[in-house]
Amino acid sequence: MLIAYASCAACVKAEMKTAMADDHGAKLPPELVARIRKQADALCLPYEKIANLSPEMQVAVLSLTVGRKIGLDPSYAVDAFLAALAHAENKRVVSLETPAFQLKMIKMKTPDETVESVKATLDEIESGRVLDMIKRLSQAWAHSDYTVMDNFDDWCDCLSTKVERDEEKRMLDMRNPGMAERIDALHKSGKVVFAAVGSAHMFGPKGLPMLLRKRGYTVKRVPLHGLTVKSANKAMLDDTDTDSGDGEDDAAQHKHVPGKDEVRAAGRAADRP
């Protein structure tokens, strides 16, 4: 997800442009470049718009843009909506990560790994598996299907190689501790915090809920079906209900910390002045 700083949007764009540039010299074979061009054309995405990005970012953009086929355009992603809503409400918007750090996590360690990753991603796009995954994930998100998300590694068919496993580790396991630390710091500053991250950061033993529990927070999963603003506020502020949604009831859930015990985790945090 791409973060917009409230103080200097132009600075963020400049940082992102620098970070997205190819800095390890990986050059794709002509056949892979041709495949990228073909997919960009099929998605009505001018190749020139992504040509200066690193190879990893090029196929990442293509993967996201595939969602247009089922009405999910990344241009209307929730990140921009939340930032705009927070600004409209005069909330201070801060980032849990810098764009440079996020984009660094996308890049492979070596040119050979870059070629392998790009080829694998193009295979997934061309076979239709990327679109199938987007459909399943979007449906799980829309229906608050916790089970599908919690078992992602079992059905995604996306961890069969070392490169793929290392990539997931960088994108999730290596980022979550820093996010948890940042959310914790925002709470301890005495602010009421609303934080938002991608759903993949919310599951498993190294997910944000578990990391925040280890820091002493009570973390509850609030079902969204039939939820109203009034019932949501009640659910989030009712300290007597400590059901985490996973059947666990550990001591950390009952430890009080400064600020609200309920934590809604995410990649951007908007707090009230």
Side-chain angles (χ1 to χ4, degrees), residues 113-129:
E113 287 190 357
T114 293
V115 171
E116 180 180 348
S117 176
V118 168
K119 182 180 182 302
T121 303
L122 285 170
D123 289 345
E124 295 289 302
I125 294 173
E126 293 165 353
S127 69
R129 288 194 292 271

Side-chain angles (χ1 to χ4, degrees), residues 1-2 64-65 67-84 141 268:
M1 116 195 59
L2 303 180
L64 290 173
T65 308
R68 286 178 174 177
K69 294 181 178 180
I70 56 172
L72 297 175
D73 192 320
S75 300
Y76 299 96
V78 70
D79 307 71
F81 171 80
L82 287 175
W141 179 85
R268 181 185 296 106

Side-chain angles (χ1 to χ4, degrees), residues 16-267:
M16 287 171 56
K17 183 177 180 180
T18 300
M20 286 191 292
D22 181 9
D23 64 4
H24 60 39
K27 301 302 178 184
L28 295 178
E31 58 268 25
L32 289 185
V33 175
R35 289 172 66 184
I36 290 176
R37 282 181 172 274
K38 183 177 180 179
Q39 289 304 314
D41 288 343
L43 295 167
C44 298
L45 177 66
Y47 176 72
E48 294 72 22
K49 288 186 176 293
I50 62 173
N52 292 328
L53 304 181
S54 66
E56 297 92 338
M57 276 302 302
Q58 289 184 34
V59 291
V61 171
L62 289 177
S63 295
L64 290 173
T65 308
V66 166
R68 286 178 174 177
K69 294 181 178 180
I70 56 172
L72 297 175
D73 192 320
S75 300
Y76 299 96
V78 70
D79 307 71
F81 171 80
L82 287 175
L85 179 63
H87 287 307
E89 295 291 329
N90 294 316
K91 308 299 183 185
R92 186 167 66 92
V93 178
V94 299
S95 175
L96 300 183
E97 297 177 315
T98 65
F101 176 75
Q102 291 180 333
L103 295 168
K104 180 181 179 181
M105 292 294 100
I106 293 177
K107 289 191 175 183
M108 300 296 113
K109 296 179 181 178
T110 67
D112 286 343
E113 287 190 357
T114 293
V115 171
E116 180 180 348
S117 176
V118 168
K119 182 180 182 302
T121 303
L122 285 170
D123 289 345
E124 295 289 302
I125 294 173
E126 293 165 353
S127 69
R129 288 194 292 271
V130 166
L131 183 59
D132 289 341
M133 183 179 295
I134 291 175
K135 288 179 180 177
R136 189 164 184 180
L137 288 173
S138 62
Q139 289 170 357
W141 179 85
H143 295 93
S144 300
D145 194 329
Y146 186 93
T147 301
V148 168
M149 296 302 303
D150 198 30
N151 294 302
F152 175 79
D153 289 355
D154 296 332
W155 61 262
C156 74
D157 192 24
C158 60
L159 301 172
S160 57
T161 69
K162 183 178 184 301
V163 169
E164 289 174 335
R165 292 189 292 272
D166 287 347
E167 185 174 8
E168 184 183 75
K169 182 178 180 180
R170 290 197 312 276
M171 294 304 296
L172 297 177
D173 297 349
M174 292 177 64
R175 294 170 60 199
N176 288 345
M179 288 185 180
E181 181 177 359
R182 183 76 168 123
I183 292 170
D184 183 33
L186 288 169
H187 274 286
K188 289 180 176 178
S189 71
K191 302 292 185 181
V192 176
V193 178
F194 176 89
V197 296
S199 56
H201 295 282
M202 302 294 289
F203 299 90
K206 297 181 181 179
L208 283 173
M210 187 61 69
L211 295 179
L212 289 166
R213 286 193 187 101
K214 290 179 179 179
R215 289 176 175 267
Y217 286 86
T218 295
V219 182
K220 296 189 296 185
R221 181 165 63 94
V222 181
L224 298 181
H225 293 298
L227 199 65
T228 64
V229 172
K230 183 176 180 180
S231 62
N233 288 336
K234 182 179 185 301
M236 293 179 69
L237 298 177
D238 184 2
D239 290 335
T240 63
D241 179 5
T242 58
D243 179 15
S244 65
D246 56 11
E248 296 180 359
D249 186 29
D250 53 46
Q253 289 180 289
H254 300 282
K255 181 179 178 182
H256 182 75
V257 293
K260 297 297 181 184
D261 288 334
E262 170 64 19
V263 176
R264 306 298 292 166

